[in-house]
Amino acid sequence: MNVIPKFAEDKDIYVEPLLGRGTVYIKLGNYQAALDDFNLAIKLNPDFYDAYLGRAIIYIEQKNYQQAINDLTEALKLTADDYPAGFLKRGSVWAELGEYQKAIEDFTQAIDNKADDAKTYYPDAYYKRGLINLNLGEPEKAIKDFNNAINLDSKYYEAYYKRAIAHEKIGESEAANQDYISADYSKRLLTYNLTGHSGMFAAVRSVAISPDGTTLASGSEDSTIKLWNVKTGQEIKTLFVNSGSVLAVTFSPDGETLACSTTQKIIKLWNVSTGEEILTILGHSDWIHSLAFSPDGQTIASGSDDKTIKFWNIETGEQIHSFFGHSDYVQSLSFSPNNNIIASGSCDKTIKLWDVQTGEEINTLEGHKDCVRAIAFSPNGQTLASGSQDNNIILWDWQNNRQIRTFKAHSNAVTSLAFSPDGLTIVSGSDDKTIKLWNVQTGLSIITLFGHESYVESVAFSPDGKNIVSGSYDKTVKVWQMP
């Protein structure tokens, strides 16, 4: 500001350094200093339209949207609408305010603009207009806009990702999958790829996270269970089962005990801290595919290919109950949060609800066309989700024997599923090698995660809902960030 301008008549309106300094202040997060510089620039030169844009950016950060609209409108007046950056920014503010038609008009103005620098803003304008169309339930229009954004910028990964969502909304699953891959979103969400299980037969059949969220357990066909630090991805210890392939692992509610089941028809309990084996339980006559601790931690239930569900005392290993009713393999179990009900999914295509105390069969849910591989109660216990070899997930009002909605997008068997802690999201793993996240309220797929090279056998949410873990036939365990 102390430099004498080249032309004397510019002396009083020489404000470019204020714009530069204000922009740096914005990057530093010092909004008041930036605002002071832009205010002074406008005071010295009311026609300096870039200062209005800079001030509008600060107002947007402060969520003072109406002031931002006023400044952007003034900047556009000063430039006779030849200001694509102003249209793009104002359109973004209109969108934030829910004024979608005004937003579309501004993004279109930016796209149609012929200013020298207009092409710089075309990809963002198409992308943002596509977002509006997606929100308005116009996926076909959105796809056209995302196509244009991608044609202008082949590395516009967000456009690939949103185009994938638009493709899913109109049932174009294959196109959606290709866009998810192009977006490279899965790699950005992948926190750890854990490869400790090895050998010719080392498929990871089951994963579980401790209640405090610190420890991940993975059970494998290599007859081991590995414990991992969720935050660092480091292996903590290996538990040697030496009794066949591990089919299921689960933590007790207090996190102190880990249970596993194997192809040799046994259940083992381990001390998580010491890695010592506590107890071996015998009683089933076939493979045990599913384990579940009761919410009070007093008993453990097991579901087996012998078509039964058994309950065991975790202190003594004694059998407490045995439930009969399924006509085929029992593949999955889930306790209701209140401890009173247990649900079982079977290859007889049904889900049964049982009174834990009496062993009485309360209800049978029928709707799947093939083996029920996975079930899970919602955190509030009001609904139940089931996944099947028919490739579908069904959300049930189990108390009234009513299907709420069906989630369709997997191209192969659904092998595992879990609710997020807040109950708003379901994660599912499938033999199509993908993991999908679903909006419980709408039944729509939120995102598809790629990365496993074979069947995804098991998925789980961390207790804080920030991470997802998955285990696969490709012998790996993956830890993902929740998007």
Side-chain angles (χ1 to χ4, degrees):
M1 290 301 295
N2 295 324
V3 173
I4 298 173
K6 183 176 182 180
F7 302 102
E9 60 267 26
D10 292 340
K11 183 177 181 181
D12 293 334
I13 58 172
Y14 182 59
V15 295
E16 282 84 352
L18 286 171
L19 179 67
R21 189 171 67 182
T23 301
V24 174
Y25 279 137
I26 289 176
K27 291 182 180 294
L28 292 171
N30 191 343
Y31 296 133
Q32 187 55 53
L35 195 60
D36 291 342
D37 275 350
F38 293 136
N39 285 338
L40 180 56
I42 291 169
K43 180 179 179 181
L44 295 173
N45 185 356
D47 295 332
F48 193 49
Y49 56 85
D50 279 336
Y52 289 99
L53 177 63
R55 194 166 68 176
I57 290 171
I58 296 171
Y59 287 142
I60 291 169
E61 290 291 336
Q62 296 174 338
K63 301 190 183 304
N64 190 346
Y65 296 129
Q66 191 54 57
Q67 287 283 33
I69 290 288
N70 294 342
D71 272 359
L72 291 165
T73 301
E74 185 63 28
L76 288 164
K77 286 180 183 178
L78 290 170
T79 58
D81 289 346
D82 197 25
Y83 194 34
F87 282 118
L88 184 64
K89 189 62 69 174
R90 191 174 68 177
S92 301
V93 179
W94 284 131
E96 193 71 33
L97 292 171
E99 297 279 0
Y100 294 135
Q101 194 54 51
K102 291 180 180 178
I104 287 175
E105 290 172 5
D106 273 354
F107 294 141
T108 303
Q109 287 272 30
I111 291 166
D112 293 341
N113 204 278
K114 304 302 180 185
D116 292 340
D117 63 342
K119 291 182 179 179
T120 305
Y121 302 100
Y122 290 164
D124 284 342
Y126 277 118
Y127 171 71
K128 292 193 173 190
R129 192 173 71 178
L131 290 180
I132 296 295
N133 283 320
L134 193 59
N135 286 336
L136 289 175
E138 298 279 359
E140 291 89 352
K141 289 183 180 180
I143 288 170
K144 289 180 180 178
D145 279 336
F146 296 140
N147 287 345
N148 284 319
I150 290 166
N151 288 337
L152 291 165
D153 181 357
S154 63
K155 295 183 178 180
Y156 208 136
Y157 297 121
E158 291 86 352
Y160 286 108
Y161 172 59
K162 292 298 183 180
R163 190 172 68 177
I165 294 173
H167 279 305
E168 284 201 330
K169 284 184 179 293
I170 58 176
E172 297 177 347
S173 298
E174 186 56 37
N177 288 348
Q178 289 303 313
D179 273 347
Y180 280 130
I181 293 170
S182 298
D184 208 22
Y185 206 64
S186 296
K187 289 183 180 178
R188 284 182 276 165
L189 292 176
L190 182 61
T191 305
Y192 298 114
N193 184 47
L194 309 179
T195 57
H197 292 288
S198 60
M200 183 175 293
F201 302 103
V204 178
R205 300 294 296 270
S206 183
V207 293
I209 297 182
S210 61
D212 64 4
T214 62
T215 306
L216 164 63
S218 58
S220 168
E221 289 184 355
D222 65 6
S223 298
T224 71
I225 301 166
K226 289 188 179 289
L227 301 180
W228 313 82
N229 184 305
V230 174
K231 292 184 178 180
T232 66
Q234 296 297 308
E235 183 179 326
I236 301 169
K237 60 172 67 79
T238 298
L239 309 179
F240 295 93
V241 179
N242 299 322
S243 300
S245 300
V246 178
L247 296 175
V249 293
T250 186
F251 283 93
S252 61
D254 62 11
E256 295 180 3
T257 305
L258 181 74
C260 77
S261 64
T262 79
T263 54
Q264 289 193 3
K265 313 164 194 175
I266 65 171
I267 300 166
K268 287 180 178 286
L269 301 183
W270 307 79
N271 183 299
V272 174
S273 297
T274 65
E276 294 179 1
E277 183 180 327
I278 303 170
L279 191 64
T280 297
I281 297 173
L282 297 167
H284 281 291
S285 59
D286 211 332
W287 288 10
I288 304 163
H289 281 284
S290 184
L291 295 173
F293 274 99
S294 59
D296 64 10
Q298 298 301 304
T299 59
I300 188 167
S302 54
S304 168
D305 284 356
D306 65 13
K307 308 174 189 177
T308 70
I309 302 145
K310 294 182 184 294
F311 293 78
W312 313 88
N313 183 304
I314 66 165
E315 298 294 332
T316 66
E318 293 179 1
Q319 182 177 315
I320 303 169
H321 296 299
S322 190
F323 293 175
F324 302 88
H326 283 295
S327 60
D328 209 332
Y329 304 153
V330 178
Q331 294 279 292
S332 49
L333 296 173
S334 180
F335 270 100
S336 65
N338 66 7
N339 214 52
N340 296 328
I341 306 294
I342 192 169
S344 56
S346 168
C347 285
D348 64 12
K349 308 176 189 177
T350 72
I351 300 127
K352 290 184 181 291
L353 287 302
W354 311 81
D355 185 300
V356 173
Q357 297 301 318
T358 66
E360 178 188 357
E361 183 181 319
I362 299 170
N363 208 347
T364 297
L365 308 178
E366 298 181 1
H368 283 293
K369 298 177 181 179
D370 209 329
C371 181
V372 180
R373 295 278 298 275
I375 53 173
F377 274 102
S378 61
N380 64 10
Q382 297 301 305
T383 57
L384 182 77
S386 59
S388 167
Q389 284 185 186
D390 64 12
N391 307 352
N392 294 329
I393 299 166
I394 297 177
L395 187 67
W396 304 85
D397 172 359
W398 62 270
Q399 296 177 82
N400 296 302
N401 200 1
R402 182 177 67 89
Q403 294 185 32
I404 300 171
R405 62 181 55 88
T406 300
F407 304 72
K408 297 182 177 182
H410 280 297
S411 59
N412 209 329
V414 178
T415 58
S416 180
L417 53 80
F419 277 91
S420 60
D422 61 11
L424 300 178
T425 306
I426 289 174
V427 61
S428 60
S430 169
D431 280 352
D432 65 12
K433 308 178 188 178
T434 71
I435 298 150
K436 289 183 180 290
L437 292 171
W438 307 84
N439 183 304
V440 171
Q441 296 299 318
T442 66
L444 295 175
S445 174
I446 300 168
I447 188 174
T448 301
L449 299 176
F450 296 86
H452 283 296
E453 297 176 0
S454 189
Y455 309 144
V456 178
E457 282 291 288
S458 184
V459 293
F461 264 105
S462 62
D464 61 7
K466 294 180 179 180
N467 294 105
I468 300 156
V469 297
S470 57
S472 167
Y473 258 81
D474 65 12
K475 309 177 187 178
T476 71
V477 178
K478 297 184 188 296
V479 181
W480 312 81
Q481 296 175 50
M482 179 68 174

